[in-house]
Amino acid sequence: MSAHAVRTGVWFIGARGSVATTATAGCAAVAAGLHPAAGMVTETAPFARSGLPPVASLVFGGHDTLDCPLPKRAEALAAGGVLPHGLPSAVRSELAAADAEIRLGGPLPGDTRTDEELIAAFAADLTDFGRRGGLARTVVVNVSSTEPAPAPDAARLPPSSLYAAAALRAGCPYVNFTPSTGLRAPALQDAVAAAGLPHAGRDGKTGQTLLRSVLAPMFVQRALPVRAWSGTNLLGGGDGAALADPAAAAAKNAGKERVLADTLGAAPEGEVHIDDVPALGDWKTAWDHIAFDGFLGARMVLQTTWQGCDSALAAPLVLDLARLLARAHEVGLTGPRPELGFYFKDPDGGPAALSEQYLALLAFAEQLRGER
């Protein structure tokens, strides 16, 4: 097979959700030259010679428990302003091809299969996808709804960990773009070590926390003590509904709080509140209120407002991560990749400040092209 014909699989957990649909449609649009690759860091100059799989070589599939076809899901996102008007029609064939590769996930209500049976079934789906498509490799990317953290004495693995275990079994690099447990389940640690696969996570850094990772170092570098940092999120869509569960919201907020604690040295006073507002659909508003001390104890406040669409922010990042992990796998890298902390709230080590994370990412690009 010639180099230009090599294809790479991207297998989404939550393949019919907003992020996966936006990424699938967006990849087709960028590959066809219909839209620029805004937000895709891997399409910038420092990555040009890193050997990443071309955007046009990516092939999509996934697991989901929903049955709404991708073309219809894309039309709904366009109606809500997430996708450009007319794009679902322009890339309908690509969406239909990806939809044909989506398999039923689980466990569904009443599912009597054991964890082992579910893992085996999911892994078989992955292996079949790669074999039928003649793919060089497949990267599994979890973009499903946030699940509550499992109880320490839970008898079974949470769904995110079942999919992660299937990725290991099928020999697939893995990305956890959600706050869910995934590969970090204690029961999977031996399998993670034995698999020798590159993986990255956890919890994509797209909006409010992205801004926090920029602002928090500013206060440290200017020696301005932060007294309190509070935040509020208003969001709708599937994320809003999922995060209405206090346990799921707690899992989500843990990553937001970690960024501040790691940068400031301790978590400041204040909490993040998440409110489900269905009327907002896939759009989100996030406010932060930061109280800090200036010279001679002058009390000051910085307030920020972030309004955006998480799906449009996340989609280019998951495409970046799939390409980077595919290349890491190709060159024989294994284990957690702290160099990809630029993309996560709760990364696998490395610095907390976005500027330092970006430098680590650039160094990783050099490593992938054999210059380090």
Side-chain angles (χ1 to χ4, degrees):
M1 183 178 290
S2 62
H4 71 273
V6 173
R7 301 197 302 167
T8 298
V10 180
W11 187 269
F12 285 126
I13 309 304
R16 291 192 169 110
S18 297
V19 173
T21 305
T22 303
T24 303
C27 184
V30 170
L34 300 177
H35 289 273
M40 286 189 68
V41 180
T42 54
E43 283 294 284
T44 61
F47 297 85
R49 295 182 294 106
S50 294
L52 305 183
V55 172
S57 74
L58 302 181
V59 180
F60 296 92
H63 282 116
D64 209 317
T65 56
L66 303 177
D67 59 4
C68 180
L70 276 185
K72 184 176 181 180
R73 186 75 180 92
E75 290 169 2
L77 290 174
V82 177
L83 296 180
H85 177 72
L87 182 61
S89 296
V91 299
R92 187 174 184 84
S93 62
E94 290 89 342
L95 289 169
D99 192 68
E101 298 293 349
I102 297 176
R103 301 293 179 261
L104 184 64
L108 296 166
D111 197 331
T112 59
R113 289 177 292 177
T114 65
D115 284 359
E116 172 55 32
E117 289 170 332
L118 287 162
I119 293 168
F122 298 157
D125 289 337
L126 280 163
T127 301
D128 182 58
F129 175 63
R131 177 186 55 78
R132 287 185 297 100
L135 307 179
R137 57 190 47 80
T138 297
V139 180
V140 176
V141 184
N142 182 18
V143 288
S144 60
S145 296
T146 300
E147 66 189 17
D153 59 349
R156 300 193 60 172
L157 289 171
S160 66
S161 296
L162 297 174
Y163 293 117
L168 296 178
R169 188 167 301 184
C172 298
Y174 175 83
V175 176
N176 188 2
F177 204 72
T178 80
S180 301
T181 305
L183 285 181
R184 296 193 185 180
L188 295 184
Q189 296 317 295
D190 288 345
V192 172
L197 293 165
H199 55 88
R202 169 174 68 166
D203 197 3
K205 183 164 55 186
T206 57
Q208 183 181 40
T209 310
L210 177 68
L211 190 59
R212 287 179 167 208
S213 68
V214 174
L215 291 176
M218 176 192 73
F219 288 106
V220 173
Q221 291 161 5
R222 283 296 182 92
L224 298 171
V226 174
R227 292 185 291 110
W229 199 315
S230 301
T232 295
N233 283 252
L234 308 178
L235 68 161
D239 273 353
L243 295 173
D245 177 353
K252 182 75 172 177
N253 284 337
K256 292 178 179 289
E257 293 167 357
R258 175 178 171 171
V259 169
L260 295 182
D262 285 352
T263 305
L264 300 176
E269 291 182 13
E271 298 178 348
V272 176
H273 298 276
I274 298 177
D275 294 331
D276 178 24
V277 185
L280 293 179
D282 286 282
W283 296 83
K284 179 173 78 172
T285 297
W287 293 305
D288 269 20
H289 184 284
I290 309 159
F292 64 98
D293 289 338
F295 191 51
L296 305 180
R299 295 292 181 95
M300 291 183 268
V301 168
L302 173 64
Q303 297 183 21
T304 67
T305 302
W306 178 286
Q307 292 180 305
C309 173
D310 260 1
S311 300
L313 291 164
L317 306 186
V318 298
L319 293 174
D320 277 354
L321 286 161
R323 299 174 78 198
L324 290 162
L325 262 291
R327 177 60 174 162
H329 185 250
E330 181 181 11
V331 301
L333 298 180
T334 63
R337 306 315 313 174
E339 306 96 334
L340 300 180
F342 178 76
Y343 293 98
F344 298 104
K345 297 183 183 74
D346 186 14
D348 299 301
L354 190 72
S355 60
E356 296 175 13
Q357 291 174 334
Y358 181 62
L359 293 176
L361 180 63
L362 294 182
F364 189 55
E366 294 179 5
Q367 181 181 4
L368 294 179
R369 61 178 178 258
E371 295 182 7
R372 291 178 67 88

